[in-house]
Amino acid sequence: MAVVILQGCYSFTGSSLSPETQTILIRDFPNNAALMNPNLAQQFSTDIQNRFLQRTTLKGAAENPDILIEGEITDYAITPTTISSAVNAPGGNIQAAQNKLTITVKVHYENKIEPEKSFDRTYSDEAVFSSDLDINAIEASQVKVVNERIINKIFNDIVANW
């Protein structure tokens, strides 16, 4: 019985959001990065919308929301991070030992209830993986990891205000 009472009392909205803040609109984040990942924009947009709607008491709104979140994916890059070379290789062949996936997202946050909390920020994160792995086979899982980290940062800055 005590568990039920505790569950009923728990709410993540013991956060920095004002109790008057009731609605949210999260627009789709277009992918404007030079390197295109065809699934990135839809995946990021869906994941950030789900995070706010599932982990807060905010309700989705099509117009005139208390909170507006919008932005764009500005960078998507896969670059070598650690170089290794074969010691006895003719011509000293150099190859990447690790690659890094980096995603950067520009966010516009508007809080109509508490306008002083509104902001424009850029978020970026990365995942490092072995160059021995086929990027086509692991790209989706690496994108998911990086998206999750970026969304955590955005969510914490808006809801937890840590």
Side-chain angles (χ1 to χ4, degrees), residues 74-96:
T74 58
D75 191 33
Y76 179 87
I78 299 170
T79 56
T81 60
T82 308
I83 305 297
S84 69
S85 60
V87 178
N88 298 327
N93 286 344
I94 296 175
Q95 65 184 51

Side-chain angles (χ1 to χ4, degrees), residues 27-149:
R27 294 206 170 108
D28 287 342
F29 280 66
N31 184 357
N32 295 325
L35 180 61
M36 288 301 288
N37 174 317
N39 301 318
L40 181 59
Q42 182 178 355
Q43 182 179 351
F44 186 86
S45 298
T46 300
D47 289 351
I48 192 168
Q49 290 167 0
N50 287 343
R51 174 67 57 89
F52 278 87
L53 293 174
Q54 292 171 358
R55 296 197 186 172
T56 69
T57 58
L58 297 171
K59 303 292 180 232
E63 55 186 53
N64 199 25
D66 297 331
I67 289 178
L68 171 67
I69 300 172
E70 59 188 353
E72 64 179 321
I73 298 162
T74 58
D75 191 33
Y76 179 87
I78 299 170
T79 56
T81 60
T82 308
I83 305 297
S84 69
S85 60
V87 178
N88 298 327
N93 286 344
I94 296 175
Q95 65 184 51
Q98 288 186 318
N99 288 322
K100 175 173 63 173
L101 166 67
T102 306
I103 299 174
T104 304
V105 179
K106 194 160 106 178
V107 175
H108 172 73
Y109 164 60
E110 213 173 289
N111 186 324
K112 292 181 182 169
I113 304 297
E114 300 172 285
E116 70 280 2
K117 292 186 175 181
S118 299
F119 62 75
D120 289 288
R121 291 187 189 150
T122 299
Y123 294 86
S124 186
D125 215 305
E126 59 195 36
V128 177
F129 54 92
S130 171
S131 63
D132 294 340
L133 300 172
D134 176 9
I135 185 61
N136 295 320
I138 65 156
E139 187 173 17
S141 66
Q142 297 303 304
V143 165
K144 188 170 179 63
V145 167
V146 176
N147 276 351
E148 176 83 12
R149 291 176 184 163

